Amino acid sequence: MNNDEFRAWSRRAADWGADYRDTLRERPVRPALSPGAIFRSIEASPPEAAESMDRIFADFEQKIVPGMTHWQHPRFFAYFPANAAPVSVVAEYLVSAMAAQCMLWQTSPAATELETRTVDWMRQALGLPDGFSGVIQDSASSATLAAVLTMRERALDWQGNKKGLAGQARVRVYSSDQVHTSIDRAIWVAGIGEENLARIPVAGRFRAMDAAALEAAIVSDREAGMLPAGIIACVGGTSTGGTDDIAAVAAVARRHGLYLHVDAAWAGSAMICPEYRHFWTGVEQTDSVVFNPHKWLGAQFDCSIQFIRQPEDLVRTLAIKPDYLKTHGHDGIINYSEWSVPLGRRFRALKLWFLLRAHGLEGLRAMIRNHVTWSEGLAARLAKETDFEIVTEPMLSLFSFRHRAGAGADPDEHNLRLVNAINDDGRIYLTQTRVDGRVAVRFQAGQFEATAADVDAAFDVVTEIARGLA
């Protein structure tokens, strides 16, 4: 592809993207396909000769797009959002065109320095104190792994990377059962082992860790010769929005000298609104916090910010400095590859910079406040319906509900049939969860371009399809 062709196809791709966004409401949120249909439509062997871009692009439109779940659809109410505000997409065009490898300051000074500035903008926007620095990771999973490795190294007096875990006391980490499964995976990858992730009981509307039970578990483990290393708390857990009392957990962490990491991957975005910050009261006492601007805030995936109280501990855990990665003649610079598990790094700060400038904090706050209000309104409407029950009350814009099964019907099977029928219908997209062992249907409003009418449509679809199953 020469430069003229690159220009023409870049324009066509941009036009296609704008047309795609314009037509999303006309498309089913999730495709009605059987597994393997797309796979079978793709040639079994790679082409020996070059093919024209016209043919390639036509196959993209005819074979790939019909098989996509449309995460930018305004009636996507499943999982959590993976928003890509249009201005963020434009920034990603530029990042892709430059294709810089931003692992060190010297490999792209602007990428490093813009990251430092935009992360501090976000620190201010969330109301975090000056003592926090930060880094843009690819996802909350990577940020949590970095935090787990740091708490492990700190507990082992920085000998884990050097000597391994064999012969050491059993390292213990504490969380509730409301945390994301990325915590389990971080425990596996860090070599700590699933059996050493101690699950603390929860209580109350927000299913918060019982601080007394947490402290008792730490004391008991220490008396048994184990090595408590850290605590992972959550604000806005994936299943139902489980939220720990961060101040109470932080007090326990301080008394026992444990590292405290907070996973606020989804709910952290809402903290740009001062009225929601009570959900993480005490966050200033934590060691690290992660939130994903690529979820609710509108930055295209991937863009996850990890705030750290003592970045030198993170660097001590992760940094490897062969001579070819040194920047000679400059002192005091930041090389963000030393703050991350991967060495390679994309220029993630640009889309966040574009986003914050194009929308402003007030514009983003208005979006989040609308989503919370609309979700609360939907929960209230469903609660008034005879055949529905609200299982977990709204936590910000997330709640769960259940449809009452008919006499003799299995309630779990009935609600799974309901959510599958809703998703097969295609007008909206929801997911299920389990609450106290029973199936519930999960709803969250968070898509960047959703409207009140889209949430109203969710009520109509859910009640219509539920009536058909009765």
Side-chain angles (χ1 to χ4, degrees), residues 139-203:
S139 67
S141 296
S142 291
T144 295
L145 174 58
V148 168
L149 291 169
T150 303
M151 65 178 67
R152 184 198 75 183
E153 285 305 292
R154 203 166 78 168
L156 292 170
D157 194 26
W158 313 102
Q159 295 302 302
N161 283 341
K162 183 176 181 180
K163 296 182 179 179
L165 301 185
Q168 307 274 14
R170 286 176 61 185
V171 175
R172 299 282 278 179
V173 176
Y174 306 85
S175 76
S176 76
D177 63 356
Q178 298 299 299
V179 297
H180 191 266
T181 53
S182 60
I183 280 75
D184 301 65
R185 186 170 293 174
I187 295 298
W188 299 349
V189 175
I192 293 171
E194 184 177 333
E195 292 181 358
N196 291 311
L197 177 59
R199 301 290 192 177
I200 306 302
V202 300

Side-chain angles (χ1 to χ4, degrees), residues 276-352:
Y276 300 138
R277 290 178 189 162
H278 63 89
F279 284 117
W280 72 2
T281 298
V283 70
E284 69 282 353
Q285 302 171 50
T286 64
D287 293 289
S288 63
V289 183
V290 63
F291 97 104
N292 291 347
H294 68 231
K295 280 194 165 74
W296 206 354
L297 213 56
Q300 180 164 325
F301 186 86
D302 53 16
C303 184
S304 180
I305 297 180
Q306 181 183 5
F307 293 102
I308 307 124
R309 178 180 297 282
Q310 293 181 269
E312 60 272 20
D313 286 353
L314 180 65
V315 172
R316 187 173 181 182
T317 300
L318 298 178
I320 298 177
K321 299 181 180 180
D323 194 68
Y324 56 79
L325 292 181
K326 293 177 181 177
T327 301
H328 296 283
H330 296 278
D331 295 325
I333 61 170
I334 295 175
N335 290 323
Y336 280 118
S337 61
E338 298 173 356
W339 297 44
S340 307
V341 174
L343 172 62
R345 306 190 81 248
R346 298 182 68 250
F347 187 4
R348 300 186 181 100
L350 191 69
K351 59 194 167 194
L352 189 56

Side-chain angles (χ1 to χ4, degrees), residues 15 101 110 114 120 149 178 187 195 223 269 328 335 419:
D15 287 343
Q101 190 3 319
L114 185 63
D120 193 64
L149 291 169
Q178 298 299 299
I187 295 298
E195 292 181 358
E223 289 174 349
S269 292
H328 296 283
N335 290 323
V419 76

Side-chain angles (χ1 to χ4, degrees), residues 387-389 391 400-404 415 435 438-441:
D387 294 333
F388 286 88
E389 61 174 317
V391 178
S400 66
F401 64 91
R402 192 178 288 127
H403 186 248
R404 294 185 176 91
N415 279 279
V435 181
R438 297 178 60 198
V439 171
V441 184

Side-chain angles (χ1 to χ4, degrees), residues 366-414:
M367 175 194 65
I368 287 172
R369 287 165 177 153
N370 281 338
H371 292 162
V372 173
T373 298
W374 298 338
S375 188
E376 290 172 344
L378 177 61
R381 290 181 71 186
L382 284 174
K384 292 177 182 177
E385 295 290 309
T386 305
D387 294 333
F388 286 88
E389 61 174 317
I390 300 303
V391 178
T392 56
E393 295 290 333
M395 160 58 184
L396 296 170
S397 66
L398 169 65
F399 70 92
S400 66
F401 64 91
R402 192 178 288 127
H403 186 248
R404 294 185 176 91
D410 179 87
D412 285 354
E413 181 181 336
H414 174 77

Side-chain angles (χ1 to χ4, degrees), residues 124-148:
Q124 296 173 54
L126 299 175
L128 292 173
D130 290 342
F132 283 94
S133 301
V135 56
I136 304 179
Q137 309 280 22
D138 56 3
S139 67
S141 296
S142 291
T144 295
L145 174 58
V148 168

